[in-house]
Amino acid sequence: MSWNYYGFRPYVPVAKRRAQAARELAKLTKKGGQTASPVLLESRKIAGTFWGKAWCDNLEAYSDYANRLPRGRTYVRNGSVVDLQISQGKVTARVSGSSLYKIELKIKPLTANLWKSIQTECAGKIDSLIELLQGKLSSSVMQIVTRPERGLFPTPKEIELDCSCPDWADLCKHVAASLYGVGARLDQSPELLFLLRGVDPADLISQASAAETVRQSARAEGAAAMSEAEIADVFGIELADTPKPVQPNESVEAIKQTPIPLSVQEPETKPPKKAGRRINSSAPAKIAAAARARQEKVKASSKCDKPRVRKLSAAARAKIIAAQKARWTRHAATS
């Protein structure tokens, strides 16, 4: 391509650039066997959901990126990001410009200490994985995960930028377009942020909440409810028995035979006095001894039946994530 009098390449219309990029990308796809995944926006808004907006807001908060971001927004809006792939610790993209440029962004994983700190601060505040991915979080949790320095988003020092274009700047317009493309992609698949930072979102969910999430998901899809044994097998825990509710038409004898909940102790009862019959003097002592024996039995059984909670295994956590990702995919497809 020839250069003009001022040393710049002549302007190429956007439509022509995209057509050229499509032809070059088709050749690369045929050679490498990888399917292209372009960033296509339905409107001028780059991101519309919580995670996408939070990524873009965090990007624009860094002064290091301020000069080149406007051109990047233009490029991603006109469809110049013809391919974007997100994997653990890396983003690769192809952006259409005067040529088809290759971009590679290497992002450091979240440090173990920072991830543990985020888990501790969010403990008990997130009820389900679906709630987390949909961004339906309390204000306190949102402040934790989106804070600039100690949240889930990478800082400029944690991002290594590389583009095949001749621009001398590290953050060229093609790289800026790719960074905005990540925000647009998080609108569709917010779990990719956790993959990019090398952490497991299920770590933010308590064990009990995760079990309840699976139950609700199964009911919402009309699937057969999981048995207690299956839930215990998936989560590696033993569940306590739930007392059977009393039915309206249940007889008095059936109610009497119903086991007493472990948290309730049977009160001591006095022996009934029968008219015309003398009660043995040793009978009250025997009745009191029997009542004490029953109480000791209830206390002993409550200690034995206390559910033991074990930490989620990696395989169980993978099952939870797979189930929730499938649920989220179906939800996104129908919404």
Side-chain angles (χ1 to χ4, degrees):
M1 180 180 292
S2 60
W3 297 68
N4 61 23
Y5 176 80
Y6 297 100
F8 298 101
R9 292 185 177 185
Y11 173 75
V12 179
V14 174
K16 187 175 181 179
R17 289 205 311 262
R18 286 194 298 197
Q20 292 174 350
R23 288 194 294 269
E24 294 183 40
L25 190 61
K27 294 178 183 178
L28 295 172
T29 301
K30 186 176 180 180
K31 183 185 297 184
Q34 184 178 3
T35 304
S37 179
V39 177
L40 303 175
L41 305 181
E42 297 180 357
S43 64
R44 287 187 57 81
K45 290 178 62 177
I46 296 175
T49 66
F50 168 77
W51 289 112
K53 287 180 178 178
W55 173 275
C56 295
D57 291 343
N58 182 77
L59 191 65
E60 293 168 355
Y62 294 122
S63 58
D64 300 6
Y65 295 166
N67 295 334
R68 294 295 181 124
L69 289 179
R71 293 296 303 276
R73 287 195 292 268
T74 301
Y75 265 57
V76 75
R77 282 171 178 155
N78 63 28
S80 295
V81 183
V82 296
D83 182 40
L84 183 75
Q85 306 288 340
I86 299 177
S87 58
Q88 185 170 346
K90 183 165 56 173
V91 177
T92 56
R94 299 274 182 175
V95 178
S96 170
S98 302
S99 298
L100 183 63
Y101 298 114
K102 181 179 180 181
I103 292 88
E104 184 173 287
L105 312 176
K106 294 181 181 179
I107 297 179
K108 294 181 180 180
L110 204 65
T111 62
N113 291 337
L114 177 54
W115 181 231
K116 187 175 181 180
S117 173
I118 293 175
Q119 292 180 58
T120 302
E121 293 181 80
C122 294
K125 299 178 181 178
I126 304 175
D127 295 331
S128 72
L129 194 60
I130 294 176
E131 177 187 75
L132 173 65
L133 296 181
Q134 288 181 343
K136 296 178 179 178
L137 307 173
S138 64
S139 58
S140 60
V141 173
M142 286 191 289
Q143 290 176 2
I144 295 170
V145 299
T146 62
R147 58 192 174 193
E149 298 298 333
R150 295 185 56 79
L152 288 175
F153 300 114
T155 63
K157 295 180 180 179
E158 295 175 318
I159 306 176
E160 183 179 332
L161 311 173
D162 183 62
C163 180
S164 61
C165 76
D167 196 334
W168 58 269
D170 290 335
L171 183 67
C172 63
K173 54 195 174 187
H174 312 109
V175 170
S178 301
L179 288 170
Y180 274 114
V182 173
R185 189 58 50 83
L186 293 182
D187 264 9
Q188 305 165 2
S189 305
E191 66 275 6
L192 290 176
L193 173 62
F194 298 89
L195 173 66
L196 186 62
R197 299 311 309 273
V199 294
D200 187 351
D203 291 340
L204 295 175
I205 314 300
S206 65
Q207 207 171 58
S209 297
E212 182 60 26
T213 299
V214 173
R215 286 193 182 101
Q216 293 178 0
S217 178
R219 294 193 190 102
E221 294 298 324
M226 294 176 67
S227 66
E228 298 296 326
E230 291 172 331
I231 294 173
D233 180 62
V234 170
F235 293 96
I237 58 177
E238 293 182 5
L239 301 176
D241 295 332
T242 303
K244 179 182 177 182
V246 178
Q247 302 297 329
N249 57 352
E250 194 169 4
S251 64
V252 176
E253 292 299 327
I255 295 174
K256 289 181 179 180
Q257 295 176 5
T258 302
I260 300 174
L262 300 182
S263 60
V264 179
Q265 295 183 353
E266 184 178 356
E268 295 185 6
T269 57
K270 294 183 179 180
K273 295 182 179 181
K274 294 185 179 180
R277 184 178 177 182
R278 189 175 180 180
I279 299 177
N280 190 353
S281 59
S282 62
K286 292 181 179 180
I287 295 173
R292 285 194 297 270
R294 284 196 298 271
Q295 292 177 1
E296 293 296 328
K297 187 176 180 181
V298 169
K299 291 180 180 179
S301 62
S302 65
K303 294 180 180 179
C304 295
D305 293 341
K306 186 177 181 180
R308 297 187 298 275
V309 179
R310 296 195 298 270
K311 187 178 180 180
L312 275 174
S313 64
R317 192 181 294 113
K319 289 182 182 180
I320 299 170
I321 295 174
Q324 294 303 330
K325 283 183 179 180
R327 167 71 175 164
W328 172 252
T329 303
R330 288 191 294 271
H331 176 78
T334 56
S335 61

